Amino acid sequence: MTRPIYLNVTLILLGLAIIFTGLNVGLGGIQTLGWQTSGPFFSVTNEPAFHVQDSHIRFIGGIWSSVGAVFVLGGFKQDTFRVTMIVLCAAIAVAGLFRLSNLSSGVVFSAAIIPSMTLELIGFPLVGWWLLSSGKRSI
């Protein structure tokens, strides 16, 4: 049975977007490369602690870029990566829930965060369901 091209394209585009945001943080650290924001948005007051946390953030950016690579590969090899992508979709949804741990800042439901949170809490579960249902058709 042939694969739905729309799912393949969706997976590749999602993967490329994830890689883009991951590289922004992975290569730019806490300050980022500025691909998603304009100008500096903080100042460092404790340089040794900053460099430790910056290293951790770069690592997390590298993980996020790798997640994107899995989605891009999955767009070409769904049968091989289907289960992994379904698990990643669930993990991204759970990670999106962690945004709610900062309700006191008032930013969680702002225009700057709502698009990302919508993708995380609604979009990725739908993609996971799409992957699951397309796999059932191929059996």
Side-chain angles (χ1 to χ4, degrees), residues 31-109:
Q31 295 181 27
T32 77
L33 294 176
W35 296 347
Q36 295 174 275
T37 186
S38 59
F41 54 91
F42 74 95
S43 61
V44 176
T45 59
N46 181 338
E47 199 150 328
F50 167 78
H51 288 298
V52 170
Q53 294 307 312
D54 187 66
S55 177
H56 292 316
I57 293 299
R58 288 173 189 268
F59 173 79
I60 292 168
I63 290 173
W64 189 233
S65 291
S66 299
V67 167
V70 170
F71 278 96
V72 170
L73 289 172
F76 295 101
K77 296 278 194 176
Q78 275 186 51
D79 289 337
T80 303
F81 291 96
R82 176 175 283 105
V83 173
T84 302
M85 290 185 295
I86 292 169
V87 170
L88 287 174
C89 285
I92 291 167
V94 169
L97 291 173
F98 275 72
R99 289 184 186 272
L100 299 174
S101 68
N102 192 20
L103 287 174
S104 63
S105 74
V107 74
V108 172
F109 298 110

